[in-house]
Amino acid sequence: MSRISACFERLAARRGKGLVTFISAGDPEPNATPALMHALVRGGADIIELGVPFSDPMADGPVIQRASERALAAGTSLDDVYRCVAKFREQDQTTPVVLMGYLNPFEHVGAASFAERAHSAGVDGVLVVDLPPEEAQDFNRVVKAAGVDQVFLVAPNTSSERVKMICNYASGFVYFVAVKGVTGDKAVDVELINARIAETRRLASLPVGIGFGIRTPQSAAASAASADAIIVGSALVEIIEQHGKHIDAAASALEIFVRSLRDAIDGKAHAA
């Protein structure tokens, strides 16, 4: 069983909801990333999404675009991303790590090489934002053979037929995009998407995480009512941006904020 499946089984056993946290690898520099990943786990993250820096991140809003720019300016490469995960794995063999990025860097090295090195480093899943399911068959076969789950996006306006097709390829979980637009673009209208999430869960036979637009403990708690996991990214990347090169301070601030999300999702009193 993969780390992602084991994670969701543990959550289901205690009727809990997952917290998936996103940061960009190499932001503000590659050596900082493992420490920031551990801070997310200390705060209560169940799964870490690690952005692979890319020069044209079309699905991301300005906050994550700036993170990619900082990471690329610091010289972060795909090799550095593997090293970040391997370093993290020296102390954490439990928390799943999913790489989120765009096809070009993976295609450049080849799907087989990417999958082998990612798995060896301790990567559990990959989400390729600009790889539609109609073109994913070859890549999907290779990464799954290497033991890496492939997560796919589902939008509020995705048809039931397309959800079924996506789920023929998806493993680990399905990422439900809560808003039309880019990451961090607008607030989630939970009432509007509840029905679509329920339909996606029925069709997917996989856990469904909801992301894009969840920035506060309040919105995380509201979204947790309908999904299996809450995915938060831009709000965390903003914290890293605010602290610049002060990595210890950024790690502390991340831990505190993630704990407030965790408490809100778990129905406990949460911080402001």
Side-chain angles (χ1 to χ4, degrees):
M1 179 182 296
S2 73
R3 284 193 187 93
I4 297 174
S5 296
C7 176
F8 278 105
E9 282 209 356
R10 289 194 297 272
L11 288 164
R14 61 178 175 85
R15 297 185 178 182
K17 300 299 179 78
L19 175 57
V20 183
T21 55
F22 172 97
I23 61 174
S24 290
D27 176 28
E29 59 188 16
N31 290 338
T33 299
L36 298 178
M37 294 171 72
H38 287 302
L40 298 174
V41 176
R42 290 196 300 272
D46 297 295
I47 297 174
I48 294 175
E49 266 191 44
L50 204 54
V52 178
F54 185 55
S55 57
D56 185 22
M58 66 183 79
D60 293 310
V63 171
I64 295 178
Q65 286 181 13
R66 291 196 298 271
S68 268
E69 290 171 0
R70 289 190 295 271
L72 291 172
T76 307
S77 65
L78 189 54
D79 284 345
D80 290 318
V81 178
Y82 301 141
R83 280 191 281 270
C84 288
V85 178
K87 184 69 176 176
F88 173 75
R89 284 278 172 251
E90 290 178 3
Q91 298 179 45
D92 190 321
Q93 290 290 326
T94 303
T95 306
V97 175
V98 177
L99 300 187
M100 181 176 182
Y102 296 81
L103 183 59
N104 185 280
F106 307 139
E107 200 169 41
H108 179 71
V109 298
S113 174
F114 160 72
E116 179 183 347
R117 294 201 59 189
H119 184 261
S120 296
V123 171
D124 305 289
V126 61
L127 196 172
V128 187
V129 177
D130 55 349
L131 181 59
E134 292 86 352
E135 301 173 16
Q137 185 174 358
D138 291 344
F139 185 88
N140 184 257
R141 183 182 64 252
V142 171
V143 297
K144 279 187 175 177
V148 176
D149 287 323
Q150 187 171 4
V151 178
F152 282 88
L153 298 172
V154 169
N157 57 348
T158 302
S159 68
S160 297
E161 290 71 23
R162 190 172 173 81
V163 171
K164 291 178 183 175
M165 179 178 65
I166 288 171
C167 294
N168 285 334
Y169 297 113
S171 56
F173 65 97
V174 173
Y175 190 132
F176 189 93
V177 178
V179 296
K180 296 177 182 178
V182 296
T183 56
D185 190 34
K186 59 188 77 169
V188 176
D189 188 334
V190 175
E191 291 185 4
L192 281 177
I193 62 172
N194 273 347
R196 288 295 297 143
I197 291 179
E199 175 71 359
T200 301
R201 292 176 75 188
R202 185 181 67 79
L203 295 171
S205 299
L206 284 172
V208 176
I210 179 173
F212 283 42
I214 300 172
R215 302 178 58 87
T216 66
Q218 291 81 2
S219 60
S223 300
S226 58
D228 299 293
I230 307 306
I231 304 164
V232 181
S234 294
L236 304 175
V237 173
E238 280 182 340
I239 290 172
I240 296 171
E241 182 174 49
Q242 289 162 3
H243 287 83
K245 298 285 187 179
H246 301 286
I247 306 307
D248 289 344
S252 296
L254 279 179
E255 181 179 343
I256 290 169
F257 183 69
V258 171
R259 185 170 296 118
S260 73
L261 296 170
R262 174 85 272 163
D263 288 348
I265 292 170
D266 291 346
K268 300 176 182 175
H270 47 71

